[in-house]
Amino acid sequence: MTSLSPAPGTSPVQGLHHLTVMASDPQRNVDFYTQVLGQRLVKVTVNFDDPGTYHFYYGDRTGQPGTIMTHFPWPGARRGVRGNGEVVALAYSVPAASHVYWQARLAQHGLNATASTRFGQPVLTFEDPDGTWIELAFDDGVPVQPWPASPVPADHELRGFHSVTAWVRDTDAVRQLLVGQLGFTEVGTEADPQGARTRFRGSGDGVGLFVDVVERPGQPRGTFGAGSVHHVALRTRDDAEQEAYMASLNAAGYRPTPVQDRQYFHSIYFREPNGVLFEIATDAPGFPDDEAVEELGRHLKLPAWFEPQRAQIEAHVPRILNREYGVTIGSRDLNSQSGPAQAEPEANGHGVQVLTAGRPLADARVAMVLLHGRGGTAADILSLEGQFNLSAFTYLAPQADGNTWYPQSFLAPLAQNQPHLDRALATIDAVMSELAAQGIPASRVVLGGFSQGACLALEYASRTPGLGGVVAFSGGLITLDQTGDLTGTPVFMGVDPRDGHIPLSRFEETVANLRARGADVDARVIPGLGHTINADELNAARAVMQGIAGAMG
């Protein structure tokens, strides 16, 4: 077994905290995890980045870390496709003597389970209603707090998490994170139908100790949708240790987010090189923090900052029945309206190639349009989606012909960049029209870009008031003679004072122009930035995006 010392100021990570998955039908999701698997619905709240969407938490009686399965249900969402760069399965620990019971129970509910042996333990694998792989590992793990109202007898109840399985291109990249940074121990490797499976163990002595990684070089990446795992969260003991991990991960190049207040724990997020999204979450304060243990899951709980929008949120979220209490939550009747269209085109009606990522377009209420720089591609700029990590958003990235929006510098006489500039602006218009047709007006769109794309984004926003926000990584206005009212439009701009492509003087003129027209501009001159994007800029962009999503209610 291989293990290393964790980062200074930290102790080795204990293991799994929770798993977050995208679902589709909310009532079906509740019924499966509570009535089939016998988990308690310990919290009904909303996605803090998209308060119009539920966030369900399932676990043991009090929702201890290491027992919590969470879901964002997006009604009508298209099913995801498993692939590299994501967690593809969650295994629960189950008493070894319960093997026959669970085989019969799964069959009774029409679930086809596949039996296997993994590191010497029997495992049953089956799919939940959205296609997520759920596994039962029969290992006599540590008991958790039983839920008295569970339909599963206490002797057979699930005992929290056993492990997760991730598919990756390169196991060593995960090894460097888990062992080198977080203090996991490498247990060993065995053959798997998909490739070599390597197991890593957290330092705890309770539940949720293992992360399995299956190496699949050359295989395609996953496609996010219903049934896909959004992220896996690991445990840290308190805020101070989380801050120490954030510093060490930043120094190692993982670019974690700032601490996010998730009401029941605090979180930071980051991706390892294969693309798997990890979270480090604190154990405290826990789910009984805002309602009694006897009442967990009975009410829609909102953080203080969403309470003024409670009526709007309750009217928007679908009506569900919590069968533990026989109570309904939410108001919207999904059966009374047609579901969203499933098409998610990669080209709009104007012949512009547009790549997409994030939330399916048909189910999104907010969008980010990303414009690549000169010589870049739509795929390049679209990769920022993983850095933003905001599940409310659909992301669209149009591709410029010849990888450039206009031929000369943005400071060249306007005529030298025509008719290319007008065509580029029309391309954005076409994308905005497509979004409007899907029910996402300009006020719910953040327009962002890098370098030439940032200049184009600023120019479009200057000529087209009413955008939800603008993010310009190393850019400036192409023209300074527009006069439209931009009152209240949030704009983020960042630049290196010695950027050879974006003179500081033009950056400052742009800031003055936008502010004079009422825009709320966060402008940062960042020495040493170079012609690139850093973590602070991404965090500032995320704040603009969160402001748009949070205002939706």
Side-chain angles (χ1 to χ4, degrees):
M1 295 194 296
T2 302
S3 62
L4 295 174
S5 299
T10 67
S11 55
V13 165
Q14 302 163 76
L16 304 174
H17 187 283
H18 69 267
L19 196 75
T20 295
V21 184
M22 177 181 170
S24 54
D25 185 278
Q27 186 65 61
R28 185 177 66 177
N29 184 261
V30 170
D31 289 345
F32 179 82
Y33 282 90
T34 62
Q35 302 305 301
V36 178
L37 295 190
Q39 297 291 276
R40 188 183 193 189
L41 179 59
V42 297
K43 190 67 61 178
V44 180
T45 183
V46 294
N47 182 336
F48 290 178
D49 298 322
D50 177 20
T53 298
Y54 277 124
H55 195 173
F56 297 147
Y57 293 82
Y58 307 98
D60 68 357
R61 182 170 179 266
T62 61
Q64 294 183 100
T67 73
I68 290 296
M69 182 74 148
T70 94
H71 286 85
F72 298 136
W74 297 343
R78 186 168 55 185
R79 182 170 289 197
V81 179
R82 296 183 197 94
N84 282 1
E86 62 181 7
V87 170
V88 297
L90 167 75
Y92 286 97
S93 175
V94 184
S98 298
H99 196 282
V100 173
Y101 171 85
W102 276 101
Q103 283 182 313
R105 183 173 183 83
L106 296 175
Q108 175 188 351
H109 287 277
L111 299 170
N112 297 318
T114 301
S116 62
T117 300
R118 188 174 300 162
F119 291 98
Q121 295 171 337
V123 175
L124 290 178
T125 302
F126 54 95
E127 291 186 346
D128 81 354
D130 288 302
T132 307
W133 271 340
I134 303 298
E135 299 179 325
L136 305 181
F138 297 91
D139 71 338
D140 280 333
V142 177
V144 295
Q145 297 174 353
W147 173 38
S150 174
V152 177
D155 289 347
H156 301 298
E157 279 189 357
L158 307 184
R159 293 188 170 182
F161 294 162
H162 175 274
S163 58
V164 295
T165 296
W167 282 355
V168 301
R169 175 185 56 82
D170 174 28
T171 296
D172 190 58
V174 184
R175 178 181 292 112
Q176 291 180 36
L177 169 67
L178 295 181
V179 178
Q181 294 290 322
L182 304 180
F184 275 69
T185 298
E186 183 171 338
V187 175
T189 300
E190 68 175 20
D192 181 273
Q194 290 287 332
R197 175 184 290 267
T198 302
R199 172 163 290 180
F200 301 92
R201 187 188 192 281
S203 68
D205 56 5
V207 297
L209 299 181
F210 301 107
V211 173
D212 286 3
V213 177
V214 178
E215 189 169 79
R216 305 167 71 243
Q219 297 302 306
R221 291 179 61 89
T223 301
F224 189 73
S228 298
V229 175
H230 186 262
H231 64 267
V232 56
L234 307 176
R235 296 176 64 183
T236 191
R237 290 164 175 79
D238 53 36
D239 292 334
E241 186 171 73
Q242 185 180 69
E243 289 279 354
Y245 269 122
M246 184 165 63
S248 66
L249 290 166
N250 230 336
Y254 289 96
R255 300 168 73 172
T257 67
V259 175
Q260 309 290 307
D261 183 356
R262 299 309 190 193
Q263 188 79 356
Y264 310 107
F265 46 85
H266 300 150
S267 303
I268 60 174
Y269 303 86
F270 56 94
R271 291 188 189 272
E272 54 78 47
N274 291 285
V276 179
L277 181 60
F278 282 92
E279 173 184 345
I280 294 182
T282 58
D283 283 356
F287 296 102
D289 186 58
D290 62 354
E291 58 185 336
V293 170
E294 293 73 20
E295 294 282 305
L296 287 174
R298 185 183 183 96
H299 312 280
L300 175 64
K301 304 302 294 185
L302 299 176
W305 58 90
F306 283 150
E307 278 295 344
Q309 303 174 46
R310 174 174 284 277
Q312 182 182 0
I313 291 171
E314 288 184 333
H316 181 81
V317 294
R319 184 183 302 116
I320 61 167
L321 171 64
N322 183 334
R323 302 185 192 280
E324 177 181 1
Y325 305 103
V327 299
T328 59
I329 299 172
S331 302
R332 184 160 61 100
D333 184 1
L334 291 178
N335 295 323
S336 68
Q337 51 189 288
S338 59
Q342 295 301 302
E344 193 174 351
E346 292 191 353
N348 58 33
H350 299 263
V352 179
Q353 183 187 18
V354 181
L355 303 186
T356 61
R359 190 162 185 165
L361 178 59
D363 192 43
R365 297 186 300 146
V366 286
M368 186 168 204
V369 177
L370 291 163
L371 307 175
H372 64 77
R374 185 192 303 272
T377 66
D380 293 338
I381 195 77
L382 196 61
S383 67
L384 291 179
E385 176 264 341
Q387 300 292 329
F388 293 135
N389 184 32
L390 293 175
S391 59
F393 280 79
T394 187
Y395 298 82
L396 300 92
Q399 176 63 51
D401 290 340
N403 297 348
T404 187
W405 297 107
Y406 44 84
Q408 305 298 323
S409 163
F410 80 110
L411 298 174
L414 199 61
Q416 294 184 17
N417 279 319
Q418 294 292 22
H420 308 281
L421 177 59
D422 284 346
R423 289 174 182 166
L425 293 169
T427 292
I428 304 174
D429 260 336
V431 176
M432 298 295 291
S433 296
E434 177 68 20
L435 287 170
Q438 295 286 338
I440 305 176
S443 60
R444 300 183 203 163
V445 179
V446 178
L447 181 61
F450 170 68
S451 190
Q452 189 186 67
C455 298
L456 184 60
L458 288 165
E459 188 65 21
Y460 183 87
S462 178
R463 299 182 184 207
T464 316
L467 284 172
V470 185
V471 172
F473 301 116
S474 301
L477 279 169
I478 298 172
T479 63
L480 296 168
D481 56 357
Q482 305 298 320
T483 59
D485 185 6
L486 301 176
T487 299
T489 302
V491 179
F492 169 74
M493 299 173 58
V495 75
D496 187 309
R498 296 189 175 186
D499 192 314
H501 302 280
I502 312 296
L504 182 59
S505 59
R506 187 57 159 222
F507 179 88
E508 292 172 337
E509 288 176 306
T510 298
V511 172
N513 177 288
L514 298 177
R515 284 177 173 164
R517 295 161 62 190
D520 182 8
V521 183
D522 176 1
R524 305 186 191 184
V525 178
I526 308 171
L529 173 66
H531 198 63
T532 185
I533 304 171
N534 73 7
D536 288 342
E537 290 187 295
L538 290 170
N539 293 337
R542 189 182 296 109
V544 172
M545 298 167 68
Q546 287 174 319
I548 302 302
M552 287 297 301

